[in-house]
Amino acid sequence: MNQTQAYVYIPFGDSEQIRLLTLKAGARDDHIQCSLNTKDLEHGEWFLGGFVEEEEGYEALSYTWGDSSSRKVIYINGATVFVTENLYTALLHLRFEHKPRILWVDAICIDQQNLEERSAQVQLMFRIYGSAARVIVWLGEQSEDSDLALDVIESWSRPSAILADRLSTTSIEYKALDNLFARSWWNRSWVVQEVVNSKIVEFVVGYRCVGGYASPSDRLRQISSTIDELAFAKTGSLDQGGFEVLLPKFGHRQASDPRDKIYSILKIVSDDLQVLPDYMKSVPEVYIDLVKAWISTQRTLDI
């Protein structure tokens, strides 16, 4: 296939299917070469492994799309696909030099121009992230103090950990953490759904990775509201949380599409509202449907 030809998505044959991206091995300066393959989510057996063979599992990427007006080209099955600069940078840093890597990346694995497919795939996202061998959180490129912040995070798991609640607000460690938690990923609408059901979470900054979800201290919660909210989610508090609890708690988060403020928490609320993602509906229609469903199921106007 000519590399100047745009990639054409083949529609799914089944509602339980997803696409997996094989990020091919390459040096840092090589073009990003990938392939897309369709897999059955329902019958897939995913587990931790070396991520060389497809049956060993996949990793799901959690990231911010970034500026949609600034795009770079990658190659999928020999054809061109344009992605945001932040996603392009993430793929460069996540690519292995000597072996392929199997990823699920929403901007690539979903045909974003097909609104019907997009709606159906969003319904599967909770399971997609929950079935992944691990969730990779891309926080962006390395900065002057990002290594120091990651050093502190890594220290949480050691017996001699310098916990954040012991840090002075004037310390360089506290400032480094503050800067790390100021990055845009922490304020995304989809963060909670992507992380709360994950087996393992790894945070990546540049070429550095720290693994495992750490229980936040009170001081860290003061630095980052997301840490507090993720702790709320991880403790199982979501089991008792309906829309009247979760929408005020998570509704302030950023989303490029206002409908995602609703869709991003559908799978983590206890209410069975029978509201399904539908990107063919307008923003007002989505919110009207939510209110109607709430009144119908809860028999109350208190929302």
Side-chain angles (χ1 to χ4, degrees):
M1 185 180 288
N2 192 311
Q3 289 195 340
T4 60
Q5 181 177 345
Y7 181 77
V8 178
Y9 285 89
I10 299 174
F12 291 117
D14 186 276
S15 61
E16 293 289 318
Q17 290 181 326
I18 64 172
R19 299 183 187 93
L20 291 178
L21 180 76
T22 299
L23 179 59
K24 297 182 178 179
R28 292 189 180 185
D29 296 330
D30 291 345
H31 291 299
I32 295 178
Q33 301 280 354
C34 309
S35 63
L36 269 181
N37 298 285
T38 300
K39 297 296 178 184
D40 192 327
L41 179 63
E42 180 67 24
H43 300 104
E45 294 182 359
W46 316 110
F47 54 90
L48 285 172
F51 304 102
V52 177
E53 303 297 333
E54 291 181 3
E55 62 267 20
E56 290 184 317
Y58 67 94
E59 300 165 291
L61 183 63
S62 179
Y63 68 107
T64 59
W65 278 31
D67 185 0
S68 296
S69 65
S70 178
R71 292 185 173 267
K72 290 181 174 288
V73 68
I74 65 172
Y75 299 97
I76 298 180
N77 298 350
T80 58
V81 172
F82 286 91
V83 299
T84 62
E85 189 168 353
N86 187 51
L87 176 53
Y88 182 87
T89 304
L91 294 175
L92 280 179
H93 286 79
L94 293 173
R95 179 172 58 184
F96 294 139
E97 188 171 355
H98 300 296
K99 62 180 181 180
R101 191 168 195 172
I102 311 299
L103 299 168
W104 188 86
V105 184
D106 62 346
I108 301 173
C109 295
I110 300 174
D111 181 358
Q112 297 293 330
Q113 303 307 310
N114 184 333
L115 296 183
E116 184 176 355
E117 176 181 304
R118 185 177 162 197
S119 300
Q121 289 284 290
V122 165
Q123 294 182 46
L124 298 178
M125 280 178 60
F126 190 71
R127 289 168 54 199
I128 290 172
Y129 280 91
S131 298
R134 57 170 60 88
V135 172
I136 304 296
V137 174
W138 168 251
L139 293 177
E141 296 189 74
Q142 185 180 26
S143 66
E144 183 178 358
D145 60 2
S146 60
D147 277 341
L148 178 59
L150 296 180
D151 287 341
V152 175
I153 292 174
E154 281 189 323
S155 75
W156 294 343
S157 61
R158 297 197 294 268
S160 59
I162 304 174
L163 297 177
D165 55 8
R166 300 177 192 169
L167 296 178
S168 166
T169 56
T170 60
S171 69
I172 58 173
E173 291 87 359
Y174 187 96
K175 180 60 177 176
L177 286 169
D178 194 17
N179 289 337
L180 184 69
F181 291 134
R183 296 190 180 209
S184 58
W185 180 85
W186 300 95
N187 200 35
R188 286 181 61 240
S189 290
W190 287 101
V191 163
V192 177
Q193 175 173 280
E194 292 169 356
V195 170
V196 70
N197 197 38
S198 60
K199 296 181 178 73
I200 295 176
V201 180
E202 291 186 350
F203 294 90
V204 179
V205 179
Y207 288 101
R208 179 149 176 210
C209 171
V210 296
Y213 180 84
S215 297
S217 68
D218 291 338
R219 179 56 60 84
L220 272 181
R221 295 182 187 188
Q222 294 174 15
I223 300 175
S224 171
S225 61
T226 298
I227 287 289
D228 188 24
E229 291 161 358
L230 289 178
F232 172 78
K234 279 287 187 181
T235 58
S237 303
L238 292 179
D239 293 339
Q240 290 76 43
F243 261 101
E244 82 283 9
V245 174
L246 299 185
L247 192 56
K249 192 169 189 66
F250 301 130
H252 67 282
R253 301 188 154 278
Q254 295 177 356
S256 56
D257 188 324
R259 291 168 291 195
D260 286 338
K261 289 179 178 287
I262 300 299
Y263 296 156
S264 63
I265 60 174
L266 279 178
K267 292 294 185 180
I268 58 175
V269 297
S270 58
D271 309 310
D272 185 16
L273 298 181
Q274 300 298 314
V275 175
L276 298 177
D278 186 349
Y279 288 96
M280 290 178 280
K281 291 185 176 181
S282 67
V283 174
E285 287 175 323
V286 169
Y287 281 80
I288 290 171
D289 284 350
L290 172 65
V291 172
K292 287 181 176 178
W294 173 265
I295 294 172
S296 175
T297 59
Q298 305 299 313
R299 304 296 182 182
T300 177
L301 297 176
D302 187 14
I303 184 173

